[in-house]
Amino acid sequence: MTSPERTEHLVLPGVLTAEQARATVNGILAGQREDGAIPWFRGHHLDPWDHTEAAMALDAAGEHEAAARAYEWLARHQNADGSWYAAYHDGDFEQITDRGRETNFSAYVAVGVWHHYLATGDDTFLDRMWPVVYAAVEFVLRLQQPGGQIGWKREEDGTVVNDALLTGSSSIHHALRCALAVAEQREEPQPDWELATGALAHAVRSHPERFLDKSRYSMDWYYPVLGGAVSGPEAKDRIESMWDDFVVPGLGVRCVLPNPWVTGGESCELALALWVMGESDRALEILQSIQHLRDEASGMYWTGYVFEGNRAVWPEELTTWTAGSLLLAVAALGGDEATTAVFGGERLPRGLAPDCCG
């Protein structure tokens, strides 16, 4: 069980008390398997991105041993080409339920590994995970397109899907910067990664035509900011442009337009993006607005809520990754050093941007 001193920085007015924070962390720990795997919830599948997000939340709460076990699970299950499958069956993680290999899912290990290192200072862990991060990045960059964007995935038969997703590529941009930080810490420069990171950032900032149009989804709205490719006045303009479309006052953030459905994960990620922009007050308001999604009995959070018609929680799932996203947002607002360094990005390498539009 999580001790009180480990969650002091996770106390946030109107969002989490110390007791509530401990309950949420314990809820994620209860969902983690003995081998380190963190499925969405017991009986559901595991995907490597959400598994990593939950592990990061455990580190933010001081549960470093549990987080390390989560990364060891990733190391044991990495494919020979550096990827992971998109979904593993809970209860038998050798059973694969989706054999697609998504670039976004595979890249995110770099964010988690860097976050764990900053939280613990464990050089042995970083040495052990470096080959995992290196192989994952190499898998991802083999799918980078001439315009800088990253192809979405490899199909089960190995076919490359060259179409790129703005959300996924924005998340990969963040992951590449963290991977470069790992390489820098180990004094193993990766100039090809620097070029790839700069080209990807430029594509995200300046070439929306290189990505599939998923503008109905709130993630495509805020992820270029959260992933660090768009910043400053451009970030503020981007967020303001669709604020009234996606934000439902008092309830949270829509997942997709025009559906009357707010979701906890998207709301917490927007709060993180707002914090990155220096707008902590609005970030706090977003986090306060989704407290109706909290299940006090478990300390966990419902995935979403339908706010028109027969108003109801939907789906009826209390997910580790929703709780994880909330804890990470709270940790950032609370000044947790590792979390602010990873998402604030001031100390992350930026890569080398091309001058194709100069």
Side-chain angles (χ1 to χ4, degrees):
M1 301 292 283
T2 299
S3 59
E5 60 271 15
R6 287 186 169 188
T7 54
E8 288 179 354
H9 62 285
L10 295 177
V11 175
L12 194 62
V15 180
L16 286 178
T17 64
E19 183 178 1
Q20 287 175 325
R22 290 194 296 274
T24 300
V25 176
N26 289 333
I28 296 176
L29 290 170
Q32 185 176 32
R33 295 292 187 174
E34 291 184 2
D35 65 354
I38 310 178
W40 284 22
F41 52 87
R42 289 297 181 104
H44 200 63
H45 75 254
L46 174 153
D47 76 71
W49 198 102
D50 289 314
H51 166 92
T52 299
E53 182 174 49
M56 292 172 66
L58 292 178
D59 266 327
E63 297 289 344
H64 304 310
E65 291 182 9
R69 288 192 293 113
Y71 294 117
E72 293 296 341
W73 187 94
L74 286 173
R76 290 195 304 273
H77 287 79
Q78 188 173 31
N79 295 321
D81 65 357
S83 70
W84 286 270
Y85 294 120
Y88 298 78
H89 186 268
D90 185 20
D92 178 8
F93 290 115
E94 304 308 316
Q95 180 181 342
I96 315 302
T97 55
D98 184 345
R99 290 184 175 271
R101 288 163 283 162
E102 299 188 20
T103 48
N104 177 33
F105 282 10
S106 296
Y108 208 62
V109 64
V111 181
V113 165
W114 185 237
H115 183 259
H116 183 80
Y117 175 73
L118 292 177
T120 64
D122 188 344
D123 289 302
T124 301
F125 168 83
L126 203 65
D127 292 343
R128 193 165 61 247
M129 292 299 294
W130 168 243
V132 176
V133 171
Y134 183 89
V137 170
E138 290 294 300
F139 165 77
V140 169
L141 294 186
R142 284 193 289 272
L143 274 71
Q144 187 165 33
Q145 305 302 303
Q149 72 274 25
I150 307 290
W152 176 28
K153 66 176 180 177
R154 282 190 185 272
E155 299 282 14
E156 180 177 352
D157 64 2
T159 301
V160 174
V161 179
N162 290 323
D163 291 333
L165 302 174
L166 182 59
T167 294
S169 284
S170 297
S171 177
I172 291 169
H173 173 259
H174 185 205
L176 290 176
R177 294 181 69 195
C178 289
L180 284 168
V182 174
E184 187 176 274
Q185 179 66 28
R186 289 181 49 82
E187 299 183 353
E188 298 197 33
Q190 302 294 324
D192 289 346
W193 294 6
E194 293 183 48
L195 292 169
T197 302
L200 177 57
H202 178 74
V204 170
R205 282 195 300 268
S206 304
H207 293 282
E209 74 281 0
R210 295 177 184 171
F211 301 91
L212 295 177
D213 182 6
K214 301 288 184 179
S215 56
R216 293 174 55 232
Y217 291 84
S218 58
M219 287 192 296
D220 263 27
W221 166 52
Y222 62 74
Y223 240 99
V225 177
L226 180 57
V230 177
S231 59
E234 292 80 9
K236 183 172 179 59
D237 289 345
R238 184 178 188 89
I239 294 303
E240 294 301 332
S241 69
M242 298 290 286
W243 182 271
D244 291 337
D245 296 281
F246 284 116
V247 176
V248 183
L251 291 178
V253 177
R254 293 178 192 256
C255 177
V256 57
L257 298 173
N259 299 1
W261 181 44
V262 293
T263 47
E266 278 78 357
S267 298
C268 295
E269 288 179 340
L270 174 63
L272 256 179
L274 290 167
W275 173 82
V276 168
M277 294 166 52
E279 298 195 17
S280 295
D281 289 345
R282 281 213 289 184
L284 176 60
E285 290 176 7
I286 292 294
L287 294 178
Q288 290 173 334
S289 75
I290 61 167
Q291 292 315 297
H292 63 99
L293 295 177
R294 183 177 176 86
D295 176 58
E296 288 295 347
S298 65
M300 301 294 278
Y301 290 79
W302 300 105
T303 299
Y305 176 75
V306 177
F307 57 86
E308 290 182 1
N310 296 324
R311 302 184 178 199
V313 163
W314 185 85
E316 294 187 12
E317 298 173 349
L318 295 164
T319 45
T320 53
W321 52 267
T322 300
S325 66
L326 179 113
L327 290 176
L328 288 172
V330 171
L333 267 68
D336 176 62
E337 186 174 351
T339 305
T340 57
V342 165
F343 288 100
E346 290 86 356
R347 291 181 285 164
L348 292 178
R350 292 194 173 276
L352 301 172
D355 60 0
C356 66
C357 297

